[in-house]
Amino acid sequence: MGPTHDPQLLKGLLSPLLLRLLAEQESYGYELAQRLRALGLSEIPDGTVYPALARLEREGRVSSRLVSSRSGPARKYYRPTPAGYAALAQAAGDWLSLAAVVTPALSSSVPRQPLPPSEEDLP
Amino acid sequence: MNRRLTLMDRLRIERVLWTVDLLTYDIRTGGRRTIRRDLRTNLRAAAGEAGVGEAIRQLGSLRQLARGYVDAQYGDGARRPRWMGGLWWAFVCAILLVAITGIGAAAFRAGVQAANPGATGTYVWNQVSGVGLSTVTISLAHGQPVRAEITLPFGSMLYVAAAVILGGRLWRLVPRRRA
């Protein structure tokens, strides 16, 4: 079993992740949920993915079309719209710039004890 | 691998859809129909791959799923009325009105019979009508009830209307004044 991820952290990243996956290949809801699991994001329940897709569609960031399926009812396949591609580029830029600041701060070694206050702060 | 869904599998999926439909009642009918159709397709695909139990488990909390759909429809924390809440409180209010009136009518009849065990005639209790509740009329013959009539005045409907407004947060229908 892979490492677990904080669902709160993932919440804000779900839309860009979905847009990124859809930019690679058109998919329907359950297929996208499977692709997220394949990425190692097994903490995201399918029940979070489906409303997120509905939201992206309402916001005009993805479009959908029904494709008939041999194993059941027609499936709704999504793909990014130009607005979706723009939102993806924006979100990817935001994330990378945040990660560039946060990663060095969190990945440096943690001292055994915090330093005492600097002399200027002492009474 | 694609499993063949049994009748029981389909019924379990429909039960989930019914629950989600109930929890997303604030969304208009057409929107809920789309949600049901999409969810059914995805659940059947998941059940075909992993079994219906696993498909439902992977869905996570149905309440959270429904909240996600409502937020997707109206936006996070949007001011929207809660029609289901309004209907529920109207129902509770109507039940309370009937219960209060029924208990009051029984008490009134018992009081008349206690005061005059051989009472004959028509007795009207209209003290409660002043607060918008029912008027109770009972007819007795030699102390035995022969007829009872409870009329719900229009005023009692005000309580139900108030329950709909408060329970359904209908003031949210009024557009906010811009600052």
Side-chain angles (χ1 to χ4, degrees):
Chain A
M1 198 174 138
T4 57
H5 304 94
D6 183 351
Q8 286 303 317
L9 281 177
L10 289 173
K11 198 177 171 188
L13 292 171
L14 184 57
S15 291
L17 281 169
L18 292 176
L19 287 169
R20 182 69 181 84
L21 291 175
L22 290 173
E24 281 173 17
Q25 187 189 351
E26 283 186 56
S27 293
Y28 64 97
Y30 176 62
E31 192 178 42
L32 271 173
Q34 280 182 308
R35 290 175 66 192
L36 284 170
R37 273 193 284 276
L39 284 178
L41 300 170
S42 51
E43 301 83 2
I44 301 177
D46 297 5
T48 309
V49 174
Y50 305 150
L53 283 170
R55 178 191 293 255
L56 285 172
E57 191 173 25
R58 187 183 62 86
E59 291 169 345
R61 294 179 178 178
V62 296
S63 59
S64 65
R65 65 191 177 104
L66 288 174
V67 176
S68 57
S69 160
R70 274 178 293 177
S71 57
R75 291 168 177 170
K76 198 176 193 180
Y77 278 77
Y78 297 90
R79 64 181 306 165
T81 60
Y85 280 108
L88 173 59
Q90 172 78 43
D94 289 349
W95 169 253
L96 291 174
S97 108
L98 181 65
V101 175
V102 173
T103 304
L106 293 183
S107 58
S108 58
S109 60
V110 180
R112 281 180 177 273
Q113 278 195 339
L115 292 170
S118 63
E119 285 183 15
E120 293 164 13
D121 296 333
L122 291 173
Chain B
M1 192 183 94
N2 248 324
R3 301 171 194 216
R4 193 179 169 81
L5 298 186
T6 64
L7 176 66
M8 191 53 73
D9 291 341
R10 286 169 193 268
L11 286 175
R12 287 180 72 186
I13 289 173
E14 290 307 314
R15 190 189 66 80
V16 169
L17 296 176
W18 184 81
T19 306
V20 173
D21 194 58
L22 199 69
L23 292 170
T24 53
Y25 201 83
D26 289 344
I27 298 175
R28 70 188 195 288
T29 311
R32 291 208 319 277
R33 198 180 301 127
T34 307
I35 290 169
R36 277 200 309 272
R37 191 192 58 214
D38 293 348
L39 205 49
R40 183 181 289 114
T41 309
N42 286 318
L43 272 173
R44 285 186 181 180
E49 290 276 332
V52 73
E54 183 62 12
I56 293 171
R57 194 194 62 77
Q58 283 174 350
L59 209 51
S61 155
L62 296 185
R63 208 166 275 279
Q64 199 176 342
L65 166 72
R67 201 181 312 125
Y69 274 122
V70 174
D71 286 344
Q73 182 75 28
Y74 296 107
D76 291 323
R79 285 162 45 91
R80 54 181 180 267
R82 301 176 63 175
W83 297 110
M84 201 61 187
L87 284 176
W88 168 249
W89 281 108
F91 175 73
V92 169
C93 185
I95 293 286
L96 278 176
L97 279 174
V98 169
I100 290 169
T101 307
I103 292 167
F108 177 60
R109 191 189 68 197
V112 171
Q113 287 171 321
N116 183 1
T120 298
T122 298
Y123 298 83
V124 178
W125 184 41
N126 58 10
Q127 294 302 306
V128 280
S129 63
V131 288
L133 292 178
S134 314
T135 299
V136 177
T137 307
I138 57 166
S139 297
L140 300 172
H142 308 294
Q144 294 304 309
V146 290
R147 194 172 72 90
E149 189 181 305
I150 299 173
T151 53
L152 277 171
F154 181 73
S156 62
M157 291 299 109
L158 291 178
Y159 290 105
V160 178
V164 171
I165 291 168
L166 293 175
R169 304 178 188 185
L170 297 196
W171 60 87
R172 291 179 169 183
L173 288 170
V174 181
R176 258 186 187 161
R177 252 190 278 173
R178 290 179 185 218

